[in-house]
Amino acid sequence: MRLKDKVAVITGAASGMGQAEAIRFAKEGAKVVVADLNLEGAQAVADEIKASGGDAIAVAVNVMKTEDIINCVKTTESTFGPVDILVNNAGIFDKYTASLDTTLDQWNFFLNVNLTSVFEFSNAVLPSMIERGSGSIVNIASVAGLVAGKGGAAYTASKHGVIGYTKHLSSEYARYGVKINAICPGTIETPLVKDVLAGIPKDLVPTRTFGQVEQVADLAVFLASDEAKFMSGVAVPIDGGFTIQ
Ligand SMILES: NC(=O)c1ccc[n+]([C@@H]2O[C@H](COP(=O)([O-])OP(=O)(O)OC[C@H]3O[C@@H](n4cnc5c(N)ncnc54)[C@H](O)[C@@H]3O)[C@@H](O)[C@H]2O)c1
């Protein structure tokens, strides 16, 4: 088991990639906190993990709320112990809305959910990781954080921000034994993109396929584990080759 007895908090874990990461982390021996706005969905994922012999709890968290983040970290510590792994996965998609069609309220909303939450959640777990000299933060960015045209103005800016913030955190805290890396998925078949999937041409992807949540979960396990100990501040594409072109 590659994450035996590690305490992992995964945001947005009631659905899509977060759900797959929660299930996969538990199979690797992690004690998983399934954190999501959707408590019912999070509870179903935690129940599924427990039914297969794993350890998990569900916690209601709106990643836009500081008090929810603090409460989630406290609940994790009192249930399982200090956080070893944080996966900042929760995110929302703007369906390619151009800048001139994006209101300031929409801009702030996307930046808050996709980027500011990563800052707040990371700051909530970093002091304990630094004190213990170990920990791993995995940020789910996007190929929209590497190139233009994979999201709208706010989504693209937020995901570029996640990658920049990942690099910054690493430059500050890697020296204390904390790993901070990002994953940049291409199109992955999840509820987030179900409305736009039909309009995305597969022939733009060298593999001619979309990705599956389990493939992202496998990469997240690797980055969270000790196998990736010498990886720091990187943004790893998992996109069927989309960004090589
Ligand atoms: N699906 C893709 O093609 C794709 C590609 C690149 C990156 N991503 C990123 O991957 C991550 C996961 O996306 P997904 O496709 O699995 O989406 P999804 O919609 O299936 O799941 C997202 C989860 O986040 C939760 N969430 C949303 N807002 C929240 C909030 N304020 N507080 C707490 N939880 C909240 C939702 O309830 C949901 O359970 C996101 O950050 C997304 O931007 C997705």
Side-chain angles (χ1 to χ4, degrees):
M1 286 193 180
R2 295 151 79 194
L3 303 176
K4 188 150 178 45
D5 294 332
K6 298 284 185 197
V7 176
V9 175
I10 304 175
T11 68
S15 168
M17 280 177 239
Q19 175 177 7
E21 287 151 9
I23 291 166
R24 184 80 173 76
F25 276 42
K27 280 195 181 130
E28 292 293 345
K31 298 168 185 186
V32 178
V33 175
V34 183
D36 206 291
L37 199 56
N38 168 6
L39 181 58
E40 205 180 315
Q43 192 59 59
V45 174
D47 289 346
E48 185 182 337
I49 289 172
K50 285 189 280 185
S52 356
D55 223 345
I57 55 165
V59 179
V61 179
N62 181 345
V63 294
M64 290 199 297
K65 292 190 175 164
T66 309
E67 61 270 28
D68 282 13
I69 292 173
I70 302 299
N71 173 58
C72 180
V73 173
K74 280 191 179 150
T75 305
T76 304
E77 287 172 346
S78 60
T79 312
F80 292 137
V83 179
D84 297 303
I85 300 164
L86 168 65
V87 183
N88 283 307
N89 166 84
I92 49 173
F93 187 50
D94 66 358
K95 297 186 183 166
Y96 311 105
T97 309
S99 189
L100 290 176
D101 300 323
T102 303
T103 65
L104 181 59
D105 281 350
Q106 287 168 334
W107 173 269
N108 286 333
F109 181 56
F110 281 98
L111 269 286
N112 277 340
V113 176
N114 289 357
L115 177 59
T116 308
S117 70
V118 178
F119 156 73
E120 283 219 277
F121 231 123
S122 301
N123 275 356
V125 302
L126 272 166
S128 159
M129 288 181 174
I130 290 166
E131 197 184 313
R132 287 175 290 134
S134 77
S136 177
I137 298 178
V138 179
N139 295 324
I140 307 299
S142 169
V143 290
L146 298 169
V147 296
K150 287 299 281 179
Y155 188 80
T156 303
S158 71
K159 295 299 187 178
H160 273 71
V162 169
I163 293 173
Y165 179 66
T166 301
K167 291 178 184 173
H168 170 81
L169 277 189
S170 227
S171 72
E172 294 275 8
Y173 304 118
R175 76 196 75 167
Y176 301 109
V178 184
K179 270 184 297 146
I180 305 110
N181 293 295
I183 291 177
C184 300
T187 304
I188 311 293
E189 294 187 49
T190 73
L192 187 81
V193 293
K194 68 176 187 323
D195 298 343
V196 297
L197 214 52
I200 303 175
K202 271 195 184 140
D203 55 9
L204 291 181
V205 187
T207 55
R208 302 290 189 267
T209 56
F210 296 141
Q212 302 302 316
V213 290
E214 293 79 11
Q215 295 162 338
V216 179
D218 283 344
L219 178 56
V221 166
F222 170 70
L223 287 178
S225 76
D226 285 344
E227 292 161 34
K229 219 169 192 161
F230 197 48
M231 291 182 73
S232 184
V234 295
V236 185
I238 174 162
D239 63 354
F242 177 78
T243 48
I244 60 176
Q245 307 167 92

